[in-house]
Amino acid sequence: MAKRGTRGAVTRFAPSPTGLLHLGHAHSALFAHALAGEGGRFLLRIEDIDRGRCRPEFEAAIYQDLAWLGLRWEGGVRRQSEHMEDYARALDALDGMGLVYPCFCTRAGIRAEIARASAAPHGPDGPLYPGSCRGLGDASARVAAGESHALRLDMGRAVARAGPLAWHDREKGRIAARPEIFGDVVLARKDTPTSYHLAVTADDGLQGVNLVTRGADLFQATHVHRLLQALLGLDVPEYRHHRLLADASGQRLAKRHDSLAIRSLRERGHTADEVRAMAGFGEGPCRP
Ligand code: GLU
């Protein structure tokens, strides 16, 4: 993994248009922009694979709010919903390596299976998928019959194929990848033919992002992304996971914090300078 200098990075901000951007998003966007540095490139990606939760008005608000904050992104915006063929290609490649299997389980079925198990291992996202569909053998007839299914990565085989991996985090240094803590992750959901892990990894590779910046809540996801990069032959970016902003009571900001939405702050008369300062960038009062 080549070490890169601090200048000229290609970074991105990758929000999902499922609500209004709040101060935590402002922090994330300003962070990515700052780390692109002089001569670097700051890209914007709209992560809209979840068609049920994404709304065009939230996407329009993202463009307006970022522009109001003074952020300019380079080139066109990459909207994930317009690139499903890229994710299909990545899935095909993994399938060709024998690392993908269809999973017909329902959420309730998985919960019941986990409840029956005497010891259910847990990962960063909760109990691991117990692997019920991993050994089904040839399930092509069920797939051909249109039975609803997700596609999962056979984590054991994937890790064995890739061998030991690591990534470089600009704050924490060399991190040994441990994707197995997630178990057989979903690569394509029942309702959409990709997943967060697959789409983000493919996009960062395809967009030439060489420094991935995002919240510390996604630190663990990087274990999976590093594995997918190795399997798909993608360049390995550096990483920097930033702190998460909290409200006055210490609760992490989320989309339900409407009063801390960039838009609400603007409507209450705060200037862009003030909002940047509230998000941890620049001078000005620090409390909303
Ligand atoms: N779309 C994700 C979010 O809004 C960010 C994904 C990433 O940066 O990898 O939290």
Side-chain angles (χ1 to χ4, degrees):
M1 223 178 311
K3 268 242 180 120
R4 297 180 184 91
T6 49
R7 288 166 68 92
V10 183
T11 67
R12 57 22 172 218
F13 175 53
S16 295
T18 54
L20 289 172
L21 298 186
H22 53 63
L23 281 180
H25 294 105
H27 179 77
S28 202
L30 290 161
F31 191 90
H33 185 264
L35 264 68
E38 216 177 299
R41 301 171 62 214
F42 167 67
L43 311 179
L44 176 61
R45 184 163 78 223
I46 298 293
E47 304 217 319
D48 59 349
I49 57 170
D50 193 338
R51 302 311 289 157
R53 293 176 59 225
C54 295
R55 301 262 180 281
E57 59 272 28
F58 292 137
E59 185 176 333
I62 288 172
Y63 303 136
Q64 290 159 8
D65 292 347
L66 292 180
W68 181 76
L69 280 174
L71 287 168
R72 303 282 174 268
W73 51 92
E74 201 185 287
V77 173
R78 184 173 170 97
R79 301 174 75 237
Q80 289 188 325
S81 57
E82 292 170 355
H83 296 278
M84 290 296 174
E85 71 287 357
D86 288 329
Y87 315 134
R89 252 194 305 279
L91 257 179
D92 277 354
L94 296 169
D95 192 30
M97 299 171 208
L99 302 177
V100 178
Y101 66 88
C103 171
F104 304 92
C105 295
T106 59
R107 277 172 204 268
I110 294 173
R111 268 199 304 274
E113 178 85 26
I114 289 167
R116 270 196 299 277
S118 51
H122 275 59
D125 293 339
L128 301 191
Y129 174 65
S132 328
C133 288
R134 193 189 307 125
L136 284 182
D138 184 6
S140 52
R142 288 173 75 179
V143 171
E147 195 175 332
S148 172
H149 63 280
L151 295 173
R152 288 185 182 270
L153 182 70
D154 184 329
M155 185 58 82
R157 293 179 72 144
V159 166
R161 180 179 177 116
L165 298 168
W167 82 82
H168 181 252
D169 184 284
R170 278 204 181 174
E171 186 185 30
K172 296 186 162 48
R174 182 185 182 278
I175 309 285
R178 294 190 304 125
E180 60 279 2
I181 60 175
F182 281 86
D184 291 359
V185 289
V186 170
L187 296 174
R189 291 163 22 174
K190 281 184 177 173
D191 57 350
T192 190
T194 184
S195 67
Y196 163 67
H197 293 308
L198 185 69
V200 161
T201 308
D203 283 348
D204 285 335
L206 289 165
Q207 291 189 280
V209 173
N210 61 21
L211 174 58
V212 172
T213 64
R214 57 184 171 205
D217 55 330
L218 290 171
F219 181 88
Q220 306 279 15
T222 307
H223 290 295
V224 176
H225 301 179
R226 181 65 191 89
L227 172 64
L228 293 176
Q229 286 154 6
L231 296 170
L232 294 169
L234 298 171
D235 286 345
V236 184
E238 278 190 290
Y239 286 84
R240 177 67 164 80
H241 297 89
H242 59 72
R243 70 188 169 97
L244 301 175
L245 265 53
D247 65 13
S249 69
Q251 209 193 5
R252 191 187 134 194
L253 294 191
K255 286 187 173 138
R256 63 181 177 281
H257 282 84
D258 283 347
S259 63
L260 298 182
I262 297 169
R263 178 144 309 209
S264 319
L265 293 165
R266 183 173 87 204
E267 284 166 5
R268 293 211 300 275
H270 287 288
T271 66
D273 268 348
E274 287 170 350
V275 173
R276 278 194 294 269
M278 289 173 203
F281 285 81
E283 307 300 318
C286 282
R287 296 234 68 86

